[in-house]
Structures are given as structure tokens and as C-alpha cells.
Amino acid sequence: SMDMSLMRLALRNLLSNALKYAPAGSDVTIRISDADDPLELNIDVIDGGPGIPPDQESRMFERGTRGSHGRTIGGLGLGLYIVRRVMELHGGSVCPVPSTEGYTMRLVLAEVAAEPVTA
């Protein structure tokens, strides 16, 4: 169970960042997968951009943090902060994932096991 408005906001922020910071004309891909151990749903947003510099990764989810292109691309530095908060409210997380396809941000939603049915 999830709040669709909040999840849409999180995805919109990730897609907006991917489209803003990736090279012009590069693809942006959304991939949805599930995992069995642990039970979870993964939503990846993949772009062809360089990603976030390693020296900024530790702060990228903080309110007001702007990427190295922040001076030339508009924004308030709230996008990834909002994504992190939405995922926390859903008991999930957001994290960068190493990828050979470009830069990948992953939303992770843990599945809650159903209660056993008793007769």
C-alpha cells in the first residue's frame, strides 16, 4: 500500500533530475523489478549522465544541496531531499546504484508479508 500522490512526486523529481542533468538527446529509462530476498520492489531511473560526483554523494539527499551544475540549472536543491522523505514515509529507501548503463537512482519499497490465512 502506498500513497500514489507522494510516489508520483518522488518519480517526477527523479525524472526531472535525469532530464536536466543528462546530456541532451540521451535516453532516460525507468525499470521496475522485484526481488525475493528480501521481498522488495525496485524502481530504477537510469540516465546517460555522469551522475553525482563522489565528493557530493554523502550530502545529495540533504535539503538545499545542489549539484555541481546548480549555478547553470535552476532549482532549489529540494528534489532528492523530497524523494528521500517520500521513501522514508513508505518504509523504503533511495540510493544510487552502480551501473554500466549510465547513472542509476533506485527507489526500494519493501514488501510486507501477508498475514497467514487461518480457517
Side-chain angles (χ1 to χ4, degrees):
S1 174
M2 69 179 79
D3 183 314
M4 292 305 294
S5 295
L6 288 177
M7 287 303 296
R8 188 176 16 238
L9 178 62
L11 278 171
R12 188 179 314 135
N13 280 319
L14 286 184
L15 287 169
S16 176
N17 280 355
L19 292 169
K20 274 193 236 181
Y21 293 108
S26 64
D27 292 333
V28 173
T29 304
I30 298 175
R31 182 178 332 156
I32 300 173
S33 60
D34 67 338
D36 293 330
D37 189 21
L39 287 174
E40 63 189 21
L41 178 69
N42 298 312
I43 304 170
D44 293 344
V45 176
I46 307 160
D47 67 54
I52 296 170
D55 64 327
Q56 295 178 4
E57 280 190 358
S58 65
R59 299 182 9 242
M60 73 177 150
F61 297 109
E62 294 175 9
R63 180 184 293 205
T65 297
R66 305 274 320 272
S68 57
H69 299 290
R71 289 180 216 95
T72 58
I73 296 176
L76 300 173
L78 295 175
L80 290 179
Y81 169 77
I82 290 169
V83 172
R84 180 181 61 100
R85 287 295 298 137
V86 167
M87 297 312 297
E88 288 172 350
L89 291 169
H90 285 88
S93 62
V94 57
C95 59
V97 176
S99 173
T100 58
E101 301 173 77
Y103 194 72
T104 302
M105 290 294 285
R106 175 170 289 166
L107 303 178
V108 179
L109 291 162
E111 291 187 32
V112 178
E115 293 292 322
V117 177
T118 57

